[in-house]
Amino acid sequence: MRALVMLIFVGILVISGTFSVVFSKTDTVNIGAIMNVNTIIGKVSRIAMKTAVDDINSDPNILAGKRLSLSIHDANYSGFLSMVGALKYMEADVVAVIGPQSSVMAHVLSNLANELQVPFLSFTALDPSLSPLQYPYFIQTAPNDLYQMSAIAEMISYFGYREVAAIYMDDDQFRNSIYTLGDKLFEKRCKLSYKAALSPDVLVSSQDIHNELVKIRSMESRVIVVHTYQQTGLSVFETAKRLGMMKKGYVWIATCWLSTVLDSIGISSKNASVMQGVLTLRPHIPDTNKKRDFVKRWKILSNGSIGLNPYGLYAYDTVWMVARALDKFFKEGGKISFSNDSRLIGLKGTRGLNLRALSIFDGGKQLRNNLLQTNMSGLTGPLWFNPDQSVIHPSFDIINMVGNQGWVLGYWSNHSGLSVQPPETLYAKPSNRSSNQLLKSVVWPGNTKMKPRGWEFSNNGRPLRIGLPLRASFKETVTRVNGSHEIHGFSIDVFLAAIKLIPYPVPYEFVMFGDGFKNPSYTELVNKVAYNVFDAAVGDIAIVTNRTKVVDFTQPYIESGLVVVVPIKKLDASTWAFFRPFTPLMWVVTGVFFIIIGVVVWILEHRLNDDFRGPPRQQLVTILWFTFSTMFFSHRENMLSTLGRLVLFIWLFVVLIITSSYTASLTSILTVQQLSSTIRGIESLVSTNERIGFQVGSFAENYMIEELNIPKSRLLPLGSPQEYAEKLGAGIVAAIVDERPYIDLFLSNNCRFQIVGQEFTKSGWGFAFPRDSPLAVDMSTAILTLSDTGELQKITDRWLKRKTCTQQSSDSDQLQLESFSGLFLIFGVACVLALLVYFCMMLREFGKHHSEPEDPSSKSGSRSLRMFLSFADEKEEVSKNKLKRKREMSLSLANGAEVDLRNRSNRVQAEFLED
């Protein structure tokens, strides 16, 4: 009877698609693994996981009283068999599953894990789009491909490449990683220019690989990333070798699949010649004692059948991670139990399917939490998880394939970027990506150490079609055909000189753009470059905002900017032209100071100098004569006072500056031409209602309409310098607005016009190339070299340097009072100080002359003032004589009074004696 029941149970399991049964015992904890056991990673991982289970079961310090049981299901490259294996484990009370090996199945089985709360752990399904928010029960125990693609992007940026092509398998295992690579390249200002998608490994054919490589060979980029399974990857390199794509000039980067082949089965001599110079990555494993001991054990464990690769170490650590999480689970009182899912029990339309056997792991949430709280040191080094469920310290070895060996060039880590030092030595230091980014020298394809350029001209060397504007005017700037029908011009000569400095041949041909009867639209020319009608555009193309949005420009080879040109006229030499150098205010102030100097000198010299004395009329004439004679430094009066000499010295210096400036300004006014327009620059031009001329095809029209808000009705297109002169001379336009180089050429033969104001835009001329063109960068470098050597200036002088008209001036160039205010201020202060000192001295002298006490009734303010003025008017010599006589008289009076007093005393004494 029991045998019958057992047969019925087995039959039900067979119907439900279950191929094997895992019996759970009370002292046994069941975990499962889903692998493609015949792959390199599958073979290594199988040995490593079984070894880990044996080590755990023999360790009494973990899972005390429990025994870990591992069942490995072979998916055999089949997604369907992977699902069957997962269902089998869900029916067999398995508490954790290691796998699947492929990200394709990880996306599917993660939904099963979420539903039944059984953790899935994988060290090979590393698709970065497997979000822990969407799939919380799927845990990646190795660095996912986000970090591998970051490492590749940083390598490409380090070597200075800008465009990359990628060959990949078109499934979830690789597609999402390539999209991530594109994002990381964009962050480095690089570009994933082409994605060659191949069918999945079992479906791809050699012809498919051949066709994609032929497409890549016809493109510019020579930097190629190969992200496939190992079998397809080897076929890619073999086909590339036949197509001549493994030679000098190419850069090949293979993802970790190539290092896995190298570590596990080695590179045959045939494949070694094919993959010479290829760069690849390997997950970095710190060199620890645990790792070295396991490597020694590996030969015995594998019987020499296969070499150990990093994924074997991750497989071993993953099993230990599960064991430690279970150990913590049991120590916290957890018990393994499963509950039926009510939604599956009552599900209709599932007759014949044993869905009731699929049960929810009651302790799944706690076990998942324990797994994410892992903190252990395994064969791969320290192992725990970041808050986003990614493993800590993701890092890779960067390997160069040389012969049948792999040379380690350096390392990449998320902490320090590229370095020749192992990442574990840098973790204790602050992250620093701005410097110390370094790798060892590389042996590139073609067995050369010279770094490849990374790109070639597309279409198998077809000459570049370079658009050349065929101008009707100002032909010096671009195209002028000489007698031998050769094309020359300023821009052409700069291009030809720069192209010679490019360190590789650049085939090109000029294609004329325009009919030669009118200037073509430069915006349209630039758009043709953007739409790949032309491969480049060479000419006097202004670098403006709208154009930089669609193409890349080289370094400007000449500065440019919009300027305003107006007509001028020559002013007739009128009778009163000599008044023009100074403004009216300047004349008035200068005249006032001439009077001031005369008055001040008269005051300071009047008491000392006979030249400044006499009748009032004579003194007035003397003041006026002295004042104006100083203008010519011809004054005859001598200065006797120290203060007078000081003031005169300062004044003569002021007169020297004023007369020199006056002479220079008058000379300029009488010999140069003057503006006949009130326009002084772009501001005054905009404020008027006058018409404005501009060159046909120039960006000046859009700039004035869009930026300056000038109505289009005020703008008049002009096609040649002759039209410029004609319209300006006839007054049809009040001004011309055009770029400075054109205007300089125009004015070299038309001195009747003049630039007013300053350049009101700042730009330059450059050559246009399609976006992200590497040739634009090399041409910019060549232009800078021309500038540094002086060759660019020679070309500019040869084509654009012409005779120039004399610098013009205008009434606004009159000498203003502000220009001399400092001089006048110094002289004024000197006069005030001299007068103050003089009057202090006068007051002191006046006090000496009138020191006797007087009758208070006779003192009054007006009398004292009259006495002071009278004293000041006296000659100093007279005042001194009066003071001398006064002192002598006082002395004699004092002596007479003493004699009289003595005589009177004698008489009194005589009378006393007589009595």
Side-chain angles (χ1 to χ4, degrees):
M1 188 66 180
R2 288 182 179 179
L4 180 60
V5 172
M6 181 62 69
L7 289 174
I8 295 172
F9 179 70
V10 172
I12 294 173
L13 291 178
V14 171
I15 294 174
S16 64
T18 302
F19 292 92
S20 62
V21 179
V22 180
F23 293 95
S24 178
K25 300 179 182 179
T26 57
D27 61 345
T28 301
V29 181
N30 297 316
I31 63 173
I34 303 174
M35 308 292 296
N36 296 322
V37 295
N38 290 323
T39 63
I40 293 176
I41 292 178
K43 292 176 182 178
V44 172
S45 299
R46 183 177 184 179
I47 298 171
M49 287 189 293
K50 286 186 175 181
T51 303
V53 171
D54 293 340
D55 292 345
I56 292 167
N57 289 333
S58 62
D59 188 343
N61 298 319
I62 190 169
L63 292 178
K66 303 287 183 180
R67 183 176 180 276
L68 191 65
S69 175
L70 172 67
S71 173
I72 299 177
H73 175 78
D74 183 10
N76 197 24
Y77 306 98
S78 170
F80 173 73
L81 293 182
S82 295
M83 289 187 290
V84 169
L87 292 173
K88 176 185 69 173
Y89 290 141
M90 296 305 100
E91 295 175 358
D93 296 343
V94 169
V95 297
V97 177
I98 299 175
Q101 187 172 335
S102 167
S103 295
V104 179
M105 293 314 303
H107 282 275
V108 177
L109 299 184
S110 293
N111 292 289
L112 181 63
N114 289 350
E115 185 67 28
L116 301 181
Q117 299 183 8
V118 175
F120 277 60
L121 301 91
S122 180
F123 48 87
T124 54
L126 303 176
D127 179 3
S129 68
L130 285 164
S131 168
L133 297 177
Q134 183 180 5
Y135 306 121
Y137 283 87
F138 181 80
I139 301 174
Q140 295 171 327
T141 59
N144 69 37
D145 282 348
L146 168 67
Y147 302 107
Q148 183 175 196
M149 297 305 149
S150 297
I152 292 175
E154 201 147 351
M155 289 168 56
I156 291 169
S157 177
Y158 170 80
F159 291 118
Y161 301 128
R162 289 292 175 264
E163 289 197 19
V164 181
I167 302 174
Y168 65 99
M169 307 299 297
D170 194 16
D171 60 23
D172 291 338
Q173 179 76 9
F174 302 100
R175 185 192 310 113
N176 294 328
S177 299
I178 291 298
Y179 290 156
T180 301
L181 175 62
D183 295 338
K184 292 300 178 180
L185 287 171
F186 180 78
E187 293 176 5
K188 299 293 183 181
R189 301 187 67 181
C190 304
K191 178 183 178 183
L192 186 58
S193 58
Y194 182 70
K195 297 188 285 290
L198 300 176
S199 301
D201 212 18
V202 295
L203 301 176
V204 67
S205 66
S206 58
Q207 187 61 42
D208 294 335
I209 297 173
H210 179 274
N211 294 341
E212 290 296 338
L213 287 175
V214 168
K215 291 179 184 178
I216 293 175
R217 188 179 61 177
S218 67
M219 298 175 183
E220 285 187 355
S221 176
R222 289 296 181 263
V223 182
I224 307 168
V225 175
V226 182
H227 189 40
T228 63
Y229 294 109
Q230 57 265 23
Q231 182 178 349
T232 302
L234 293 174
S235 298
V236 167
F237 283 115
E238 291 173 357
T239 306
K241 179 72 172 180
R242 290 196 298 271
L243 293 174
M245 297 175 67
M246 299 302 298
K247 62 182 181 181
K248 182 179 178 181
Y250 282 86
V251 177
W252 289 89
I253 301 176
T255 51
C256 290
W257 65 266
L258 180 55
S259 64
T260 302
V261 173
L262 175 67
D263 293 336
S264 296
I265 61 176
I267 302 296
S268 65
S269 57
K270 175 184 176 182
N271 288 334
S273 61
V274 169
M275 290 183 290
Q276 177 76 13
V278 175
L279 298 175
T280 185
L281 291 90
R282 173 199 291 138
H284 175 70
I285 309 298
D287 189 18
T288 61
N289 292 330
K290 286 185 178 181
K291 174 187 172 183
R292 287 193 290 268
D293 291 342
F294 190 79
V295 171
K296 292 178 181 178
R297 294 174 60 192
W298 184 256
K299 290 184 179 180
I300 300 173
L301 296 173
S302 64
N303 292 321
S305 61
I306 194 167
L308 178 63
N309 61 53
Y311 296 103
L313 302 177
Y314 280 113
Y316 183 91
D317 282 352
T318 301
V319 176
W320 268 95
M321 188 186 305
V322 174
R324 290 182 181 276
L326 286 169
D327 184 62
K328 183 179 180 182
F329 176 79
F330 291 130
K331 288 179 179 179
E332 292 174 348
K335 295 182 179 180
I336 297 178
S337 62
F338 296 83
S339 302
N340 292 329
D341 190 337
S342 59
R343 291 173 297 177
L344 295 177
I345 296 175
L347 193 64
K348 297 180 179 180
T350 58
R351 183 176 299 175
L353 296 178
N354 188 23
L355 296 180
R356 293 185 179 184
L358 302 178
S359 54
I360 298 174
F361 178 29
D362 296 329
K365 184 175 181 180
Q366 181 59 41
L367 180 60
R368 170 186 171 273
N369 292 337
N370 291 348
L371 287 167
L372 295 179
Q373 294 171 8
T374 296
N375 189 349
M376 58 177 276
S377 179
L379 300 181
T380 57
L383 183 58
W384 65 85
F385 293 94
N386 293 312
D388 62 353
Q389 288 190 201
S390 62
V391 295
I392 64 162
H393 303 329
S395 54
F396 293 89
D397 300 339
I398 299 173
I399 298 172
N400 186 197
M401 298 299 300
V402 180
N404 60 353
Q405 298 179 347
W407 292 358
V408 177
L409 303 178
Y411 309 91
W412 177 91
S413 72
N414 197 42
H415 175 77
S416 56
L418 300 174
S419 173
V420 293
Q421 301 181 46
E424 57 269 19
T425 64
L426 301 174
Y427 290 141
K429 301 177 183 179
S431 177
N432 184 8
R433 291 174 175 267
S434 60
S435 60
N436 301 325
Q437 299 297 295
L438 184 64
L439 293 175
K440 297 178 183 178
S441 61
V442 182
V443 176
W444 301 97
N447 199 26
T448 177
K449 290 192 175 182
M450 182 179 295
K451 187 184 70 142
R453 188 167 70 246
W455 66 276
E456 296 288 347
F457 294 107
S458 60
N459 298 324
N460 295 321
R462 176 183 64 81
L464 296 179
R465 290 171 50 84
I466 299 179
L468 198 65
L470 187 58
R471 297 185 57 89
S473 61
F474 297 111
K475 294 185 178 182
E476 298 91 339
T477 58
V478 187
T479 52
R480 174 176 284 180
V481 182
N482 61 19
S484 59
H485 301 288
E486 293 181 353
I487 301 174
H488 288 283
F490 170 58
S491 300
I492 295 294
D493 284 4
V494 172
F495 173 79
L496 295 176
I499 209 73
K500 292 178 182 178
L501 300 178
I502 302 295
Y504 48 86
V506 181
Y508 64 88
E509 61 181 5
F510 290 125
V511 179
M512 295 301 177
F513 177 70
D515 55 13
F517 297 102
K518 64 179 181 180
N519 293 334
S521 170
Y522 280 52
T523 299
E524 184 180 349
L525 173 61
V526 169
N527 288 335
K528 286 187 176 294
V529 175
Y531 298 147
N532 295 320
V533 176
F534 294 134
D535 299 310
V538 171
D540 47 348
I541 306 171
I543 304 173
V544 295
T545 303
N546 290 338
R547 296 172 184 174
T548 58
K549 294 178 180 178
V550 295
V551 297
D552 283 348
F553 281 95
T554 62
Q555 172 78 16
Y557 56 87
I558 188 174
E559 293 184 355
S560 181
L562 295 177
V563 293
V564 178
V565 177
V566 297
I568 58 175
K569 69 177 181 180
K570 188 173 183 178
L571 296 177
D572 297 331
S574 65
T575 306
W576 307 104
F578 63 88
F579 279 117
R580 291 180 189 154
F582 289 164
T583 61
L585 180 60
M586 180 66 182
W587 279 115
V588 171
V589 173
T590 303
V592 169
F593 271 87
F594 268 102
I595 301 299
I596 289 174
I597 184 61
V599 173
V600 171
V601 171
W602 178 83
I603 293 173
L604 298 176
E605 295 289 328
H606 179 66
R607 299 188 74 244
L608 297 174
N609 198 333
D610 290 337
D611 290 339
F612 291 91
R613 299 191 64 80
R617 179 179 296 179
Q618 181 181 344
Q619 293 184 50
L620 179 61
V621 172
T622 300
I623 291 173
L624 294 176
W625 170 254
F626 175 82
T627 294
F628 292 105
S629 63
T630 56
M631 183 185 303
F632 309 103
F633 306 95
S634 60
H635 54 283
R636 295 176 298 177
E637 293 79 9
N638 294 322
M639 297 291 101
L640 300 180
S641 68
T642 302
L643 291 175
R645 290 172 179 173
L646 177 62
V647 171
L648 181 62
F649 174 78
I650 296 174
W651 173 248
L652 292 178
F653 177 74
V654 173
V655 170
L656 175 64
I657 299 299
I658 292 176
T659 54
S660 300
S661 303
Y662 174 86
T663 303
S665 181
L666 181 61
T667 303
S668 176
I669 287 174
L670 295 177
T671 56
V672 303
Q673 296 172 328
Q674 305 297 318
L675 289 174
S676 64
S677 173
T678 58
I679 297 172
R680 295 291 182 267
I682 188 61
E683 294 83 4
S684 57
L685 178 61
V686 172
S687 63
T688 67
N689 292 321
E690 302 285 349
R691 300 201 71 183
I692 305 170
F694 67 92
Q695 184 182 172
V696 174
S698 170
F699 75 95
E701 178 184 14
N702 288 336
Y703 183 87
M704 287 188 285
I705 294 174
E706 297 175 3
E707 302 296 332
L708 302 180
N709 297 318
I710 297 176
K712 190 173 183 178
S713 58
R714 288 182 56 191
L715 304 180
L716 180 65
L718 304 175
S720 66
Q722 292 75 21
E723 280 194 80
Y724 284 11
E726 178 185 343
K727 302 301 182 184
L728 278 173
I732 297 176
V733 293
I736 298 290
V737 173
D738 204 351
E739 295 179 67
R740 185 65 184 252
Y742 300 128
I743 294 301
D744 287 342
L745 287 173
F746 169 67
L747 293 181
S748 66
N749 297 315
N750 294 274
C751 291
R752 297 179 295 121
F753 311 100
Q754 177 188 339
I755 296 174
V756 292
Q758 302 296 322
E759 294 183 14
F760 55 93
T761 64
K762 290 293 182 181
S763 61
W765 290 353
F767 305 138
F769 289 87
R771 297 301 296 268
D772 302 320
S773 171
L775 185 57
V777 178
D778 292 343
M779 284 295 291
S780 293
T781 304
I783 290 172
L784 290 174
T785 303
L786 290 176
S787 178
D788 293 341
T789 59
E791 184 64 26
L792 182 60
Q793 187 60 47
K794 292 179 181 178
I795 298 174
T796 304
D797 293 342
R798 183 166 65 248
W799 284 100
L800 301 183
K801 189 175 182 180
R802 299 288 188 271
K803 67 181 182 67
T804 57
C805 300
T806 305
Q807 182 64 35
Q808 310 299 328
S809 65
S810 66
D811 291 341
S812 62
D813 296 328
Q814 284 183 312
L815 298 174
Q816 305 289 326
L817 176 62
E818 290 79 4
S819 303
F820 303 93
S821 57
L823 285 174
F824 287 137
L825 178 62
I826 294 172
F827 175 67
V829 171
C831 290
V832 171
L833 292 177
L835 290 175
L836 286 175
V837 173
Y838 176 75
F839 281 118
C840 289
M841 295 170 60
M842 286 293 295
L843 288 173
R844 190 183 66 174
E845 293 295 328
F846 178 71
K848 291 179 181 180
H849 284 77
H850 300 276
S851 59
E852 294 82 356
E854 298 182 5
D855 185 5
S857 62
S858 65
K859 285 187 68 175
S860 66
S862 60
R863 178 177 174 80
S864 297
L865 179 61
R866 285 195 301 272
M867 290 175 66
F868 176 77
L869 292 178
S870 176
F871 172 77
D873 185 57
E874 286 182 345
K875 192 173 181 180
E876 185 176 13
E877 184 179 352
V878 174
S879 299
K880 289 181 178 180
N881 290 335
K882 284 183 178 181
L883 180 60
K884 183 178 181 181
R885 288 195 299 271
K886 182 177 179 180
R887 288 178 177 175
E888 290 176 351
M889 185 180 296
S890 298
L891 183 61
S892 62
L893 290 175
N895 291 335
E898 183 179 355
V899 171
D900 184 58
L901 179 61
R902 192 165 51 247
N903 291 335
R904 289 178 63 187
S905 176
N906 292 334
R907 284 197 301 272
V908 171
Q909 185 177 3
E911 290 176 357
F912 176 74
L913 292 175
E914 288 179 358
D915 291 343

